[in-house]
Amino acid sequence: MASLHPTVSEYYTDKNVFITGATGFIGKVLLEKLLRSCPNVGNLYLLVRPKKSQDCHQRITEISQSPVFDKVRAENPNFDKKLIPIHGDITQEGLGISEENVELLENHVNIVFHSAATIRFDEPLRVAMEMNVLGVRKMIQLCNNFKKLEVFVHVSTAYANCDRPFIEEMVYQPSVEPQKLIDALDWLDDEMLDQITSKLIGDKPNTYTFTKQLAEHLLIKEGSNLPLAILRPSIVGASWKEPFPGWIDNFNGPSGLYVAAGKGILRYMNCDAMGVADIIPVDIPVNMMITMAWYTAVYKPSTVPIFHSTSGSVNPFTWGEIENVVMNFWKKVPLDSCFRRPKAPIAKSG
C-alpha cells in the first residue's frame, strides 16, 4: 500500500528554501545534500554578508566552485542557478535585507534553516548576544510574514544545557530572562559587561553555550506561532560519507588540534583521556536537518520537536582513543614540512 505522505525527496520538490549560515561548514554541506539528494528542490535563498573584497554574488560563485559540489556538478552543471544570494547581515536591523528581497522571501519561501551564529567560545558577551540571540529575534520577525512557511529549523548546540547532569528534548528556563539582558546591553559599557560576564553565565563554560540557551528560550517564546524544530548537534567534525569521506574546510575544534599534533607543534594535551569526545560527522546533523524539516512540515507535531545529534554514551569515543588513532595516522601519512615528529600525549592535570 502506497504511503500517504511524500518521501523526503518528494517533499522538497519545488520547495523554496531560505538558509542563514550557508557560507559556513554546516551550510555548505546542507546546500550540497539538498541539491544532490533533492534534485527537484526549488530556489535556495542564501543570506550572505559581503566581504571587503567580494560582494554576496561573488562569494556564492566562489563557494559553488568548491570541490564539495563536484558530485552535484557532474549530475547538474547548472546547479548554481538555484543558489540565490540575499544581501544581508545577521547583526543589522531587519537583517540588512532590502525591501525588494524581503518581499521576495515573504512570497516564496517554504522552508527556513537558521544556522548563522558565532561559534567562538571566547566571544565577548555583547557580540555573542547580538549574533546568537538578537539574530534569532530578527529571524522570527522576518519569518512571521512568510506567506508559505511550512517549517523553521533552528540549529542550536548539544551544549546549550551542559551545566545540567541530564538533558532531555525540551527547552529549559534560563537563569536570565533574555529581554532583561538585552535591555541591560543598552546601558552597560563593554568594561562593565566584561566584569559581570562570569556571574551572568554562572556554571556555563562560555558565552557561546550561554547565549545558545537564551536563543532557544527566546525562539520558543517569541516564535510560538511558527512551525519550529530545533537541532542540537555536539562537536561537528569532518564528513563520514558525504559529500566524500573526510571533507572539512576549517581548523575549528579538534581539527586544529589534529593538524598541530601532526605538524609536531602540539606536544602535550591537558585533558582527561577517558572523557568522551562527542564528535559527530557533519553529514549526520545535515541529514537530520533535512529530515527534521520534512517531518515537521508533513506530520505537524503538536509540540516543538527537538533532536540531539550526538554520540555520547551510545557510541562513546574517548580523547585517549582519538590520540592513538590520530598519532598512528600521521605516522602512516605524514604531513609536509613537519616541525617535529608527531607526539602529543594526553594527561590530566592535578
Side-chain angles (χ1 to χ4, degrees):
M1 184 172 132
S3 172
L4 298 176
H5 299 297
T7 64
V8 175
S9 182
E10 289 170 348
Y11 167 72
Y12 279 89
T13 297
D14 297 327
K15 294 291 168 59
N16 296 311
V17 185
F18 179 47
I19 302 173
T20 72
T23 59
F25 179 44
I26 290 178
K28 291 172 188 171
V29 179
L30 174 62
L31 292 179
E32 193 276 339
K33 180 66 174 181
L34 282 172
L35 291 165
R36 180 166 50 83
S37 297
C38 306
N40 296 318
V41 68
N43 289 326
L44 305 181
Y45 298 102
L46 316 176
L47 185 71
V48 181
R49 177 173 54 87
K51 291 184 175 180
K52 289 182 179 180
S53 60
Q54 293 178 312
D55 63 24
C56 56
H57 290 85
Q58 291 170 327
R59 290 193 69 187
I60 294 304
T61 298
E62 182 181 53
I63 287 171
S64 68
Q65 295 169 350
S66 166
V68 75
F69 295 105
D70 284 352
K71 285 184 179 179
V72 176
R73 191 177 293 107
E75 298 171 4
N76 177 17
N78 297 316
F79 75 93
D80 57 331
K81 303 298 182 186
K82 291 188 176 184
L83 305 180
I84 313 297
I86 300 294
H87 182 291
D89 187 332
I90 203 79
T91 65
Q92 293 183 8
E93 189 68 28
L95 300 172
I97 303 176
S98 68
E99 291 184 11
E100 179 184 1
N101 280 334
V102 167
E103 185 177 354
L104 174 70
L105 297 173
E106 288 178 353
N107 291 325
H108 294 91
V109 169
N110 307 104
I111 301 160
V112 172
F113 291 107
H114 177 52
S115 66
T118 175
I119 59 173
R120 286 182 54 185
F121 293 163
D122 60 348
E123 198 79 84
L125 183 56
R126 188 183 302 278
V127 178
M129 286 290 295
E130 185 69 48
M131 292 284 293
N132 297 347
V133 181
L134 289 172
V136 168
R137 171 173 285 174
K138 293 167 189 172
M139 283 293 295
I140 294 169
Q141 293 168 345
L142 176 68
C143 294
N144 273 333
N145 297 316
F146 284 9
K147 298 177 176 63
K148 300 179 180 180
L149 184 64
E150 298 178 17
V151 59
F152 179 118
V153 176
H154 171 68
V155 180
S156 183
T157 172
Y159 303 106
N161 304 287
C162 60
D163 51 337
R164 304 184 66 89
F166 182 76
I167 303 168
E168 298 179 271
E169 284 73 30
M170 62 176 287
V171 174
Y172 293 93
Q173 182 72 29
S175 58
V176 179
E177 185 65 29
Q179 187 56 50
K180 290 183 178 180
L181 183 52
I182 292 168
D183 292 338
L185 294 177
D186 289 336
W187 60 271
L188 284 170
D189 62 31
D190 290 342
E191 184 179 354
M192 294 169 64
L193 193 57
D194 288 343
Q195 290 177 354
I196 64 172
T197 292
S198 60
K199 183 71 173 178
L200 285 170
I201 68 176
D203 292 332
K204 293 282 198 303
N206 47 53
T207 57
Y208 171 69
T209 55
F210 176 68
T211 54
K212 291 298 274 187
Q213 187 196 28
L214 294 183
E216 286 189 5
H217 179 74
L218 185 141
L219 179 69
I220 294 295
K221 184 176 180 179
E222 299 186 8
S224 58
N225 59 322
L226 298 176
L228 301 172
I230 296 174
L231 174 68
R232 291 174 179 163
S234 54
I235 304 169
V236 181
S239 60
W240 173 34
K241 293 181 178 180
E242 301 176 305
F244 48 83
W247 184 79
I248 195 167
D249 71 344
N250 63 73
F251 293 120
N252 296 334
S255 302
L257 297 177
Y258 300 159
V259 174
K263 288 284 189 179
I265 298 170
L266 180 66
R267 304 300 288 171
Y268 172 84
M269 284 186 62
N270 181 9
C271 174
D272 183 358
M274 297 305 296
V276 175
D278 213 330
I279 302 170
I280 201 82
V282 64
D283 36 337
I284 293 180
V286 164
N287 284 335
M288 289 186 70
M289 290 169 68
I290 294 171
T291 52
M292 281 169 59
W294 162 80
Y295 171 80
T296 306
V298 170
Y299 289 92
K300 297 178 173 56
S302 57
T303 58
V304 175
I306 300 172
F307 299 86
H308 286 96
S309 182
T310 66
S311 58
S313 59
V314 176
N315 185 27
F317 193 49
T318 68
W319 289 109
E321 290 171 322
I322 283 184
E323 177 199 351
N324 293 330
V325 170
V326 171
M327 290 302 112
N328 287 333
F329 179 81
W330 290 137
K331 290 174 184 176
K332 295 176 182 177
V333 189
L335 291 168
D336 293 335
S337 305
C338 289
F339 181 63
R340 284 176 292 201
R341 287 176 58 87
K343 184 180 181 182
I346 290 177
K348 186 177 182 181
S349 66

